[in-house]
Amino acid sequence: MPPFAVYPGSFDPFTLGHLDVVQRASRVFERLIIGVGINLEKQPLFTAEERVELIRLSTPHLKNIEIQTYQGLTVKFVQQLGAKIMIRGVRPITDIPAELTMMMANRRLAPDIETLFMIADGELAHVSSSLIKEIAPIADQQTFENFLPKPTVQKVLERLAK
């Protein structure tokens, strides 16, 4: 079993699709580090610290994961951790072209790091953080429960109420 991998993303908010990838990757690797990216150019729904907490609340059953925040190039973060494998969750229809482009760029920057794509489960292939933000103004708790882990649902509803 490879010792560890890194699953980076913005996770704003952490969705059932993200949770699916985390659970599956945690069964493949002895240790999984979830890297919560901080992009100063974007206006996130949740702070990096809040996103870390949402992931923590959604994954108490997984004992081999760690959650860290990072800024800058993702591939550099992965290198700094000493990892050789970066996990990318992809939705088959929408993500593959952009992810392949990013993988090729990362390979040029860090040829020692392999990108492992995990295809989203069929029921979750349409779920994205962007979708959550789009439906937020008209969604209720029951709707969000189809897309978000239970701990995240309440926090999203509270945030939207502000």
Side-chain angles (χ1 to χ4, degrees), residues 34-77:
I34 302 168
V36 176
I38 300 169
N39 184 339
L40 300 175
E41 308 275 318
K42 290 187 176 180
Q43 195 64 269
L45 185 60
F46 292 99
T47 67
E49 294 76 21
E50 290 170 325
R51 288 180 271 155
V52 166
E53 184 60 17
L54 289 175
I55 296 168
R56 198 169 274 124
L57 290 170
S58 300
T59 57
H61 59 293
L62 302 174
K63 304 304 179 202
N64 64 333
I65 66 166
E66 298 172 30
I67 309 160
Q68 297 185 26
T69 60
Y70 72 94
Q71 284 183 313
L73 284 176
T74 297
V75 74
K76 296 296 182 189
F77 170 67

Side-chain angles (χ1 to χ4, degrees), residues 3 6 8 12 15 20 30 37 43 53 57 62 75 80 84 89 98 102 116 128 131-132 145:
V6 179
D12 186 40
T15 68
D20 177 62
E30 289 177 17
Q43 195 64 269
E53 184 60 17
L57 290 170
L62 302 174
V75 74
Q80 288 168 356
K84 299 294 179 201
M102 186 60 65
L116 175 65
S128 70
L131 172 69
I132 300 307
E145 287 174 358

